[in-house]
Structure formats: C-alpha cells, structure tokens
Amino acid sequence: MKLQVNRIFIKDLAFGEETKVENHTLFINKERIVNELKKEPGVKDIDIDFAKPGEKTRIIPVKDVIEPRVKIKGAKGFAGVTTDVAQLGEGIVNVLYGAAVVTIGDIVGFQEGVIDMWGEGAKWTPFSKTYNIVVDIKVVEGLHPHEHEEVVRLVGLKASELIGEAGRNAKIDETVEYGIGDNDEETKKYPNLPKVVYVEMLISQGLLHDGYIYGTCTRQTLPTLIHPNEELDGAVISGNCVAACDKITTYQHQNNACILDLYNRHGKDINFVGVVLTPELTTLAGKFRCCDYTAKLCKLLGADGVIVSEEGYGNPDSDLVMICTRLEKQGIKTVLVTDECSGWDGMSQPLTDTSKESVAVISTGNVSHVVHLEKADKVLGDSEAIANLAGGWDGAYNSESGTLDCELNAVIGATSEIGYHNATVELY
C-alpha cells in the first residue's frame, strides 16, 4: 500500500472571489463555503474568520482541527463519514500544508480548548503555527449534546474538503511517499531488523468521548489492525471532547507523529509492521478484553517491540499499563507514551495506575501546569467559555485585564500523547 502526499505550502490566508492557492496564499470565497456548510442538517448559522501565526488572536472554545486536503487518486474524503465506505491509504492526495480548519461554537462538552496564536499560549499548542480557517458553527435549538457534537464534527470535515479543493490544481512544493508491504514482504527485505508495532489507544467512553474508524464509533470495535497509511489518509477522526491538551485532533491523526517517525526509521534500524487501534473502554471486562486482544495481535504480528500511546488520562492509565504488562510478559519490549496529571506543583502521582513492567515511559508533560495568557486583540469565540472548560474555572478569565489563567488541560495539543508537540523526557 503506497500513499503519495503532495504538499502545497500555505503561508497566508485571504478572502477572495475564488477558493484557490496563489503564490502560497490560500484564498477563500467565504460566501460560497458558508452557503454550502449551511446545507448540513442541524446548522443554524456559520461564520468564517482567520487566525494567523503571530497575531494576538485567541480561539475558544475549540472542538476539532482538520487539515484541508483533496484526494487526486484513490478513495476520497473521510470514507465511511463524508463519503461511502472505501479502502483508504492508497493513491495521491494534495495537502494544503500549513493550513488548518478549526471548529468553534457554543460549548458541547466541558473538555474543549483554547488556541493562542502569540505569546505564552502559542508556546503550548502546535496550532499557533498553522494558518487557521476558523469555522464558527451555530446549531439549531433543541439538539442533545451528542447530536450537537455530530453536527459540529461533520461541518468541520466538510469544510476541510471544500477548502481542500483549492489544492486540486495548485503548484506542488514537496512530495512525500509512504508505504510498506505486508508482514512477509517486509520481513524478507529486513530479516535482521526488529519488528515494531505501534499501538494507538483511542478514547471510547461515550459521553462525548469517542473516536471513529471509517465512521464506526470505537466503542463498537475490538482492537483493530490497520495499515499506517489508512490513518494518514483520514480513516481515523476525532469525535470527542476529551481534555484539550491530549485529545488527538483529526489533524493530528492525519499527521500522526508516531507513525511518521516510525516510517523514518523503517528499513534502517526497525521493521515497522503495522498499527493497532485500541479502544479505551470504561468497564473492567472491556478493559481486560481489549488489553488481551491487543497483546494477542502484537504477538501474532511477531513484534519484538511495541510503542503504546494513550489518549486522555485517568482510567485509561490502567489500560496503558495492562497492555504493557501483557506484552512484557511475552518478552516484547514495550515503550509507553503518556502525559502526567501531577497537580499544580507537579508533586502528585502522575498516573492512576502502575506496574513493575512499565520501565520505559515517555512523558509529554504535566496537564495540570498552570499558564498565564495575555490579553488578546481579537477573540474568535468567547473567552468566558474558559470557566466551563477542563483546566479552567470560574474567574479564570479576567474581564478587566483581558488575561486568562488555565491549566494546560485547556490548551489544544499541549501534551499530545502521540508526541506531536514539544520535547519529551525518557524515564527509566
């Protein structure tokens, strides 16, 4: 399976008569895009604005971030969601590289987030560096929270596809190819390299805490083996309001840092044999089932080593260490990627569970660390929303000074557990 990714570098945003790319500027016909998005069921109104790196702009409350793309060859769109179910991961895709669609609107769940495009806040989110097309979505009255979330999710995906069309005939700046064969093929090519499997844990808890694979809610799946290209091509999307700091946005699935790093090392010092997507369930039986199944899949793939990344924290910490225990007891070396919930002073127990087998852990930061965010010149959304977000509190926004204090919990991507942002520390 091979995927060719054509990157079109985006270095500015502007409104125009056409949605197109010209001299690295993405022009958007606001009226046409808004009119198309308003056709989606459940939408009351739509507005679009821009947030560019370095501007004193705050975006809050953020639901999801999606990379705008257009598929040139192969299955199109987010198969199983915006298009019919089809096999993703092959063909050619043109990417508006450096641009991002960011969805905001009325609060759906308390675990949404904030993006600051400048200053202290910009240090903590990867999306302060992207050129953001901010889609403000107002839904019709009377929707239940799950219906509200679904409307917002689908509008964001549709917006990324409509805007992504600007890349169809645009000048290509860079081409990257991703591809590995089946297990037998890669083993014959690299018989002496250790086989490595990437296990990606996905929030699967209901209550606005769910991911989707080809449109299927992960609560309804067993651990699933996929080709890494499938995730890079849009097979996995975010549909959750889990803590903003470590929720894996759709953009981060499309550019999964663990997958990209493993690809960079494939054929050099490792043999990257696949990705296992593992649900994080809330029942004890569900946890045992998924952890046992995950370890079994890794063993069947002949893994010598496994990287396990978490999404969220709290009860999924138990899944994380249970998977590690099962793998290590089978002689499979395991590295865990997680953040820590260590309190404002950093002195609390970082994870809710431990095991003696968990000897190689990569920390992506303390979700409880408090940051002070300066006054914004422009707010897309509502700064008062911080009072109702995880990591915020009543009074966190000072209306007189315009400043905002919050935990990293509230900052989108601040402690990404797929290693997407900031430095990491290895603990042994």
Side-chain angles (χ1 to χ4, degrees):
M1 188 176 285
K2 292 186 178 180
L3 181 67
Q4 178 179 313
V5 177
N6 296 327
R7 293 173 175 169
I8 300 150
F9 297 157
I10 302 301
K11 300 179 181 179
D12 202 1
L13 300 171
F15 291 115
E17 294 183 359
E18 294 181 63
T19 299
K20 65 179 181 178
V21 178
E22 193 172 279
N23 297 323
H24 300 294
T25 296
L26 173 58
F27 291 92
I28 291 176
N29 184 309
K30 179 177 177 178
E31 182 178 3
R32 289 180 189 169
I33 298 295
V34 166
N35 287 340
E36 283 297 314
L37 295 178
K38 286 172 72 172
K39 295 177 183 178
E40 290 295 307
V43 172
K44 181 178 180 180
D45 200 8
I46 298 280
D47 193 18
I48 296 177
D49 209 335
F50 299 142
K52 304 176 186 180
E55 293 180 341
K56 290 188 174 183
T57 302
R58 174 166 297 144
I59 316 171
I60 182 172
V62 175
K63 287 91 170 64
D64 197 9
V65 185
I66 310 106
E67 186 171 60
R69 303 172 162 198
V70 59
K71 198 71 175 290
I72 304 302
K73 182 180 179 181
K76 295 176 172 54
F78 296 92
V81 184
T82 62
T83 57
D84 293 337
V85 175
Q87 179 69 63
L88 293 168
E90 292 187 294
I92 301 171
V93 61
N94 287 5
V95 174
L96 300 182
Y97 194 69
V101 171
V102 178
T103 50
I104 64 171
D106 294 337
I107 291 176
V108 182
F110 65 90
Q111 292 178 321
E112 298 171 22
V114 59
I115 296 171
D116 271 6
M117 301 302 294
W118 90 105
E120 178 67 18
K123 298 177 184 177
W124 296 101
T125 174
F127 301 113
S128 63
K129 301 176 182 65
T130 49
Y131 287 83
N132 298 323
I133 304 104
V134 182
V135 181
D136 191 345
I137 307 158
K138 291 181 174 59
V139 301
V140 298
E141 289 79 8
L143 294 182
H144 294 295
H146 286 83
E147 296 170 321
H148 187 167
E149 183 280 321
E150 184 177 19
V151 171
V152 172
R153 170 164 34 98
L154 294 177
V155 168
L157 299 175
K158 184 69 176 294
S160 74
E161 292 178 343
L162 291 171
I163 293 166
E165 282 290 336
R168 184 173 293 278
N169 298 309
K171 179 183 176 183
I172 307 302
D173 295 297
E174 181 182 54
T175 295
V176 184
E177 291 189 354
Y178 301 107
I180 55 175
D182 63 34
N183 203 327
D184 286 344
E185 291 173 337
E186 298 304 313
T187 300
K188 287 177 182 177
K189 283 194 287 186
Y190 309 112
N192 299 316
L193 294 182
K195 292 182 177 181
V196 175
V197 173
Y198 170 43
V199 171
E200 182 178 2
M201 297 169 57
L202 298 174
I203 282 286
S204 314
Q205 300 179 350
L207 301 173
L208 305 173
H209 287 55
D210 289 313
Y212 290 84
I213 305 169
Y214 284 104
T216 299
C217 176
T218 51
R219 276 183 290 124
Q220 301 171 359
T221 68
L222 287 167
T224 302
L225 173 65
I226 67 167
H227 192 287
N229 285 6
E230 294 178 84
E231 181 164 355
L232 299 180
D233 200 23
V236 187
I237 62 173
S238 173
N240 64 68
C241 302
V242 73
C245 62
D246 54 17
K247 75 174 277 177
I248 306 172
T249 64
T250 299
Y251 187 106
Q252 290 165 294
H253 284 301
Q254 294 169 302
N255 297 275
N256 187 300
C258 283
I259 290 176
L260 296 181
D261 284 349
L262 287 166
Y263 258 131
N264 285 335
R265 296 179 63 172
H266 178 68
K268 299 173 184 176
D269 55 0
I270 65 165
N271 179 6
F272 180 26
V273 296
V275 176
V276 174
L277 301 174
T278 300
E280 300 172 357
L281 301 177
T282 54
T283 64
L284 188 59
K287 290 180 181 297
F288 285 156
R289 185 186 308 117
C290 287
C291 294
D292 288 345
Y293 210 99
T294 297
K296 176 185 68 177
L297 285 177
C298 292
K299 185 70 172 178
L300 290 173
L301 289 167
D304 299 297
V306 174
I307 296 172
V308 187
S309 69
E310 187 176 4
E311 184 175 22
Y313 57 85
N315 82 76
D317 294 347
S318 293
D319 305 61
L320 183 75
V321 298
M322 285 196 294
I323 291 170
C324 177
T325 298
R326 285 155 171 74
L327 291 170
E328 287 280 345
K329 285 183 175 180
Q330 294 184 103
I332 301 172
K333 297 296 183 182
T334 307
V335 176
L336 307 181
V337 188
T338 180
D339 54 16
E340 306 172 39
C341 188
S342 304
W344 286 15
D345 60 1
M347 299 302 291
S348 297
Q349 179 174 313
L351 302 180
T352 61
D353 202 356
T354 60
S355 73
K356 64 181 181 180
E357 290 83 9
S358 303
V359 296
V361 182
I362 298 174
S363 169
T364 60
N366 178 15
V367 306
S368 305
H369 177 72
V370 176
V371 292
H372 178 75
L373 308 182
E374 305 98 308
K375 180 181 179 181
D377 290 342
K378 178 180 179 181
V379 177
L380 299 179
D382 179 14
S383 291
E384 296 281 3
I386 191 64
N388 296 306
L389 302 188
W393 54 86
D394 188 24
Y397 172 65
N398 187 321
S399 58
E400 292 183 5
S401 66
T403 59
L404 188 155
D405 294 283
C406 65
E407 296 177 353
L408 289 184
N409 257 311
V411 180
I412 291 283
T415 62
S416 173
E417 294 168 294
I418 58 170
Y420 191 84
H421 184 55
N422 283 337
T424 58
V425 178
E426 296 184 7
L427 307 176
Y428 294 94

